[in-house]
Amino acid sequence: MKVSQNWLKALVEINTTPDDLSEKLSIGGFEVESLIDCSSNVKGILLGKVLSVVKHDNSDKLSICRVDIGRSNILQIVCGAKNVRPNIYVYVATIGTHLSANNITIKKSEIRGVMSEGMICSLEELGIEESSEGIAIINEEIATKHNLGTSAALLLDLEDHIFDLAITANRPDGMSVIGIAREISALLETKLTFPRLDKKYKINVFKNFDLCAKAIEKNCIYTITHIDSVNGKELSPLWLKDRLDKSGIKSINLLVDITNYILLEQGQPLHAFDKDKLSNLIGRDVLPQDFSVRKAKINETLLCLNGENYELNENITIVACDDKPVAIAGVIGGLETSVNDETSSVYLEGAVFNPAIIRKSSKEIGIRTESSSRFEKGISYKNTLDSVTRAINILEEYFQISNPIINTSNELDKTKLLIPLRRERIHRILGPLVIKNKDFNENNQVNKRNLSDNEITDKLKLIGCNLSIKDYGWDVEVIPNRSQDLLREIDLIEEIARLVGYDMFDLNLPNPIKPGKLSNAQIALRKLKIGFIDCGFNEVLSYSLVPEINKDLVKISNPLLLETSCLRDNIWQEHIKICNQNIKSAIDYCWIFEVGNIFHKKPDLSQEELLSGLIYGKNKLEKWSSSSKNDHLNYFEARGKLKEALTVLNLKIEDKTTDSIDFLHPGRASRLFTEGNEIGYFGEIHPKFISEKKALKKMYLFSLKVSKITDASTRKNKWIPVYKQYPTVPKMERDVNFIFSKKYLVNEIILQIRKCGKKLLEDVNLIDIYDNFGGEFISYTFRLSYRDPEKTLLDSDIASLHDNIVETIEKKFNTKLRE
């Protein structure tokens, strides 16, 4: 939002410098992105009078001019303009002046043997016009009101500054000059003057408007006003052009400029339709009841003011006349019904639409306008009728208008919305003011006190609030243009603190200040991340917003794009994309993991934190370190890497094969369990993904439920290390080899051995696999370690126990010990 200081001065008294005001606005919440000095291009340009003009002896096109700029010495300037002559007033660039439009600095120089002490300028050279014919000649009536040597900035009305403000979504009042003026009045505590409504007009509440209920809700309004006897050829006065130009809006004609002026001044978008063009469109004379607001239909089109022909659909809300589209509601008008030089009668539209509907239409057609940006932030419908009245007041200054009638969809709700404001709550939240004594620097003495009632009421009155005194404090009525952001008691308290100054209040820190610390679960998750990184994995972060690829995804109510309209229900799909990108970039391994949330729609809306990842290829730095052409990990190697990363948490994790996970290879996938609870899965990607080119190579996916892992790993018996005495006696080892059916899991076999081993069996490890039987059988070799902490074992001590284990395994798994 750009606004000139001179325009603001017409509304509010400004008793400080532009730089200081810029800082106060930024601290107050209206960040000033840039402060533009309008006179910067004409610094060093002075009012001068040409006393005489003599032709240059050595040039047919040059003249030697004597110019008075109000100094003791008369300047001699060589000029090449055809329109230079004696006794005219001109703009003179003195020596040392930099003309940014031409990027030249004026120097005392000799031109064809004659010394020139400056330059007589055109408006093009001053950067005011795009092109000029000859030098600028100042109107004598205007020039004689000033002394020679007066700065050109004063004559050109450029002694002004433009504030470029970044208005946040919670302060829609900042999208109007009046709103900014009120903010300045509150910050500087100076007088505020609003534009007067010189004349009011008849208002007709027309209940038969056909208005889309979603677009025009209870707190919205639609008005249409017929205005005759106007002239589209009439150009705007200089003051209006100047204010529009400094706000970044190009002047078109008086009718259009007034609608843009009201948009800037009041923050209320207006639109003017050419009545004759509307009549030609519908084939008869237009009436107010012909206007409607509805959803567009498929295959409808509208040629808009920007020259684009938009294809409409049901996501776009339009203004129609006799059911024919004439504007995209709140965004942009139609070209075929727009005001031009031939316009003599208009229908003036003023409305407040539902912000969500405008945002949706704007996004659908891909443009954002000054009007739509205001509707999206939200404006009060209580200002609309006054804004329309203000526009007609200005039109009456230039045209002979005959008592127009403002047709409106509803009357204003005059019910006062009061916000209770408790004195005790203000003091409790803000704390005391810190008042420093005059001798503060000497002995650091300060006084502390709560805000007084007068200070509280004065600050709220500065932003336009009306207050009624109550026992508990006040009932506060908020003005319409602040009704979007001042909704609760805490909002009013924040305004009081902002206007008083946050730095004026005492510190309110906990006593004593207790340092924060990580919980055991947070420490466990950090350990887990470090474990993965130490094993060669890279942590990634993927976007949690995805397109709607199925109906089970949680939809966002107001998405920015269709590609980010839902919350994800898995992470592995993003990881496959990352791996595919690595493969396309000729990187032959990809080990990644991510800690993130997924979101479930059924049975209830919920989110779950997962540690998910992907393993592809062998993570090695030196190519020549291996002569093998097979750079892919097999299932057990990949599972071993996951096990290695998880060892930091001292968890025993069991694998149970599964074929029920549809994106994993049947028979090469397992569900992971600890303490009997399922905590995730691990497996090779399903071959169909490779055949469909969704995955470019064989890769392994894993996912772990963070809450289950941290709960299990932070139990007291696992989280706190228990130190055991180092064994002082040797262990005895026995290797056993069996041929098993492949339907039995190694974990089941080891568990059965442990059950039979009792106290003397210290450990069981799988040390060899032989799988060349050509059928459904496989050979496993286990190493059993025995130890008695009290003595050295003899063969006789473990013979019966060992035989019992072998016998049990043979019976349980229908196998025989291999000799």
Side-chain angles (χ1 to χ4, degrees):
M1 174 73 183
K2 291 183 178 179
V3 59
S4 82
Q5 181 171 267
N6 287 348
W7 190 354
L8 290 169
K9 283 181 176 178
L11 299 173
V12 62
E13 181 184 339
I14 297 176
N15 55 12
T16 186
T17 64
D19 288 322
D20 185 53
L21 179 57
S22 175
E23 184 177 351
K24 287 182 182 294
L25 284 168
S26 295
I27 293 173
F30 285 169
E31 181 188 354
V32 179
E33 292 187 323
S34 62
L35 179 62
I36 303 166
D37 183 356
C38 297
S39 66
S40 60
N41 286 344
V42 294
K43 288 191 183 299
I45 310 294
L46 305 177
L47 171 63
K49 182 179 181 180
V50 179
L51 301 179
S52 65
V53 178
V54 178
K55 285 293 182 182
H56 196 297
D57 293 337
N58 298 324
S59 174
D60 295 333
K61 295 183 179 180
L62 297 178
S63 302
I64 303 170
C65 307
R66 294 177 66 249
V67 182
D68 184 1
I69 59 169
R71 297 178 182 174
S72 57
N73 60 313
I74 303 299
L75 300 182
Q76 179 176 278
I77 298 175
V78 177
C79 179
K82 295 179 181 179
N83 60 337
V84 66
R85 62 182 186 272
N87 298 318
I88 60 171
Y89 293 91
V90 293
Y91 296 113
V92 179
T94 55
I95 293 171
T97 300
H98 181 74
L99 298 177
S100 56
N102 296 339
N103 195 25
I104 60 172
T105 301
I106 305 301
K107 298 177 183 178
K108 188 175 181 179
S109 57
E110 188 176 305
I111 301 176
R112 299 213 177 177
V114 177
M115 192 63 64
S116 181
E117 300 172 306
M119 177 178 174
I120 303 175
C121 302
S122 67
L123 293 180
E124 180 183 357
E125 289 161 337
L126 296 180
I128 295 171
E129 292 184 353
E130 292 183 3
S131 61
S132 299
E133 291 291 334
I135 59 172
I137 300 175
I138 304 169
N139 184 288
E140 185 173 353
E141 186 178 342
I142 296 173
T144 52
K145 293 179 181 179
H146 302 278
N147 295 325
L148 294 177
T150 299
S151 171
L154 185 62
L155 282 85
L156 293 167
D157 196 22
L158 293 177
E159 286 193 342
D160 196 2
H161 287 78
I162 298 173
F163 297 88
D164 191 357
L165 303 168
I167 306 301
T168 53
N170 66 319
R171 290 296 302 273
D173 59 299
M175 297 296 285
S176 67
V177 179
I178 284 179
I180 297 167
R182 187 187 293 279
E183 180 71 10
I184 293 171
S185 172
L187 293 172
L188 302 181
E189 298 187 9
T190 55
K191 184 180 178 182
L192 180 67
T193 305
F194 288 120
R196 289 189 309 139
L197 296 179
D198 297 322
K199 185 178 179 181
K200 296 289 184 77
Y201 306 99
K202 182 179 178 181
I203 295 175
N204 175 39
V205 180
F206 192 77
K207 297 291 186 181
N208 294 327
F209 278 126
D210 183 13
L211 304 175
C212 172
K214 290 184 178 180
I216 306 292
E217 295 182 329
K218 184 179 179 181
N219 59 344
C220 299
I221 194 170
Y222 188 81
T223 72
I224 199 79
T225 308
H226 178 215
I227 303 173
D228 264 328
S229 305
V230 296
N231 183 358
K233 295 179 181 178
E234 186 76 23
L235 298 179
S236 298
L238 291 177
W239 67 267
L240 182 52
K241 286 183 178 179
D242 179 65
R243 290 181 177 182
L244 292 178
D245 180 60
K246 289 176 180 175
S247 298
I249 295 179
K250 185 179 179 181
S251 175
I252 298 174
N253 60 42
L254 183 57
L255 292 174
V256 175
D257 288 355
I258 287 174
T259 63
N260 287 331
Y261 181 76
I262 297 301
L263 174 136
L264 295 171
E265 182 189 79
Q266 305 286 333
Q268 170 66 61
L270 301 177
H271 184 70
F273 297 99
D274 186 307
K275 182 192 173 186
D276 294 333
K277 290 183 178 180
L278 290 171
S279 298
N280 291 335
L281 180 69
I282 68 174
R284 59 177 174 80
D285 199 28
V286 178
L287 300 173
Q289 55 264 38
D290 289 325
F291 288 88
S292 62
V293 178
R294 64 170 174 84
K295 293 290 184 182
K297 301 169 186 175
I298 296 174
N299 297 327
E300 280 187 318
T301 60
L302 181 64
L303 179 62
C304 290
L305 291 170
N306 59 0
E308 294 288 334
N309 194 17
Y310 293 103
E311 294 184 4
L312 309 179
N313 58 54
E314 294 175 347
N315 292 323
I316 299 171
T317 303
I318 63 166
V319 176
C321 183
D322 195 29
D323 206 40
K324 293 179 174 58
V326 292
I328 297 175
V331 181
I332 191 170
L335 184 62
E336 294 178 355
T337 56
S338 63
V339 172
N340 62 13
D341 290 351
E342 305 301 321
T343 300
S344 60
S345 179
V346 297
Y347 269 102
L348 184 65
E349 175 198 71
V352 172
F353 300 99
N354 179 2
I357 294 296
I358 300 304
R359 193 177 297 114
K360 199 170 184 179
S361 296
S362 178
K363 200 179 302 176
E364 194 71 23
I365 64 173
I367 63 169
R368 198 161 186 260
T369 61
E370 290 284 349
S371 295
S372 67
S373 63
R374 285 164 173 80
F375 284 127
E376 287 175 27
K377 285 183 170 66
I379 58 178
S380 174
Y381 79 102
K382 293 184 179 180
N383 288 332
T384 303
L385 292 176
D386 283 347
S387 297
V388 173
T389 301
R390 168 79 172 141
I392 300 173
N393 279 183
I394 299 174
L395 284 168
E396 278 194 321
E397 294 179 19
Y398 301 94
F399 303 112
Q400 298 297 318
I401 298 172
S402 56
N403 297 323
I405 299 173
I406 302 173
N407 298 284
T408 177
S409 59
N410 52 284
E411 292 181 282
L412 295 184
D413 184 1
K414 296 182 180 180
T415 306
K416 292 183 178 181
L417 298 177
L418 302 177
I419 303 173
L421 180 60
R422 293 166 288 178
R423 184 183 296 105
E424 170 271 331
R425 185 163 171 79
I426 295 173
H427 297 328
R428 181 157 54 87
I429 289 177
L430 300 183
L433 288 171
V434 176
I435 311 298
K436 295 179 181 178
N437 294 336
K438 292 181 180 179
D439 57 350
F440 172 76
N441 291 331
E442 297 178 7
N443 51 26
N444 293 343
Q445 287 188 352
V446 296
N447 292 325
K448 296 182 181 181
R449 64 170 178 81
N450 287 325
L451 284 169
S452 67
D453 284 5
N454 285 338
E455 288 172 320
I456 293 170
T457 56
D458 287 348
K459 294 304 178 186
L460 291 176
K461 286 177 181 177
L462 284 172
I463 58 172
C465 296
N466 295 317
L467 294 90
S468 303
I469 299 175
K470 300 293 179 182
D471 293 338
Y472 52 78
W474 303 268
D475 280 347
V476 182
E477 181 186 4
V478 177
I479 59 172
N481 73 341
R482 291 302 302 274
S483 60
Q484 306 296 319
D485 66 301
L486 298 182
L487 304 171
R488 305 165 298 165
E489 181 184 44
I490 194 66
D491 298 329
L492 295 172
I493 295 172
E494 182 187 2
E495 284 296 289
I496 294 167
R498 185 175 68 85
L499 295 173
V500 171
Y502 293 111
D503 57 334
M504 297 295 292
F505 292 94
D506 193 19
L507 297 176
N508 188 20
L509 298 175
N511 187 21
I513 299 175
K514 295 181 180 180
K517 63 177 184 178
L518 296 175
S519 65
N520 289 343
Q522 290 171 321
I523 294 172
L525 184 55
R526 285 197 178 186
K527 281 185 176 181
L528 194 55
K529 287 183 177 183
I530 292 170
F532 274 94
I533 292 169
D534 288 345
C535 289
F537 285 81
N538 291 308
E539 185 174 6
V540 297
L541 182 65
S542 59
Y543 209 27
S544 59
L545 298 178
V546 296
E548 187 180 7
I549 54 178
N550 61 64
K551 297 298 182 182
D552 293 332
L553 296 178
V554 179
K555 292 187 69 174
I556 297 172
S557 59
N558 187 29
L560 288 173
L561 302 167
L562 291 175
E563 290 78 10
T564 57
S565 59
C566 296
L567 295 169
R568 66 184 177 189
D569 63 353
N570 70 77
I571 303 178
W572 60 267
Q573 288 180 332
E574 289 298 317
H575 288 179
I576 291 176
K577 291 178 184 178
I578 293 171
C579 186
N580 286 343
Q581 187 61 41
N582 276 264
I583 294 170
K584 289 177 182 178
S585 301
I587 299 173
D588 50 13
Y589 75 90
C590 181
W591 294 10
I592 57 175
F593 77 95
E594 175 180 358
V595 177
N597 290 317
I598 63 171
F599 304 86
H600 303 292
K601 190 174 184 179
K602 298 176 181 179
D604 296 314
L605 289 176
S606 62
Q607 71 179 41
E608 183 179 23
E609 189 176 25
L610 299 180
L611 189 154
S612 294
L614 177 147
I615 301 172
Y616 157 71
K618 289 184 178 179
N619 187 350
K620 62 181 188 297
L621 298 177
E622 301 294 342
K623 297 287 185 183
W624 51 265
S625 61
S626 173
S627 60
S628 173
K629 292 184 179 180
N630 183 14
D631 285 333
H632 298 289
L633 298 176
N634 63 35
Y635 177 90
F636 299 103
E637 289 174 321
R639 177 65 181 88
K641 290 299 176 184
L642 177 59
K643 180 181 179 180
E644 184 182 351
L646 293 172
T647 53
V648 294
L649 292 185
N650 191 28
L651 286 177
K652 291 184 178 178
I653 296 178
E654 298 178 14
D655 292 51
K656 294 185 179 179
T657 57
T658 181
D659 57 3
S660 61
I661 302 176
D662 56 3
F663 55 87
L664 295 182
H665 193 305
R668 295 184 191 174
S670 60
R671 296 189 183 274
L672 309 179
F673 291 81
T674 187
E675 298 181 344
N677 296 317
E678 184 179 345
I679 61 167
Y681 62 79
F682 176 87
E684 182 183 321
I685 193 168
H686 200 289
K688 69 180 180 182
F689 283 85
I690 298 174
S691 62
E692 294 171 359
K693 301 300 182 183
K694 293 179 180 178
L696 301 180
K697 298 282 185 179
K698 181 174 72 174
M699 52 190 73
Y700 300 93
L701 303 172
F702 62 87
S703 181
L704 305 168
K705 298 177 181 178
V706 171
S707 60
K708 294 288 181 66
I709 289 180
T710 54
D711 287 347
S713 62
T714 55
R715 299 194 200 286
K716 192 173 182 180
N717 62 333
K718 290 189 175 67
W719 189 245
I720 301 174
V722 177
Y723 295 94
K724 296 180 180 180
Q725 186 177 359
Y726 194 80
T728 57
V729 296
K731 64 182 176 181
M732 186 176 289
E733 294 181 338
R734 295 286 185 271
D735 292 348
V736 292
N737 178 268
F738 299 93
I739 296 176
F740 294 93
S741 169
K742 288 184 178 178
K743 67 180 181 180
Y744 298 118
L745 300 177
V746 171
N747 278 345
E748 296 177 23
I749 301 168
I750 291 177
L751 185 62
Q752 190 61 45
I753 294 173
R754 288 186 184 278
K755 284 182 180 179
C756 300
K758 300 181 181 178
K759 291 184 179 181
L760 292 181
L761 182 63
E762 184 180 75
D763 200 7
V764 182
N765 288 295
L766 177 67
I767 63 171
D768 187 51
I769 301 173
Y770 184 74
D771 190 17
N772 283 342
F773 292 102
E776 58 179 31
F777 294 98
I778 190 169
S779 171
Y780 295 133
T781 301
F782 298 96
R783 178 162 292 166
L784 284 60
S785 300
Y786 298 94
R787 194 195 308 264
D788 187 332
E790 304 297 332
K791 65 175 185 177
T792 300
L793 291 173
L794 302 175
D795 283 345
S796 58
D797 294 326
I798 66 167
S800 60
L801 177 60
H802 187 74
D803 291 342
N804 182 51
I805 291 173
V806 172
E807 185 180 347
T808 303
I809 295 300
E810 288 177 338
K811 290 181 179 179
K812 183 76 174 177
F813 298 100
N814 193 24
T815 184
K816 283 291 183 181
L817 180 68
R818 296 182 69 200
E819 297 296 337

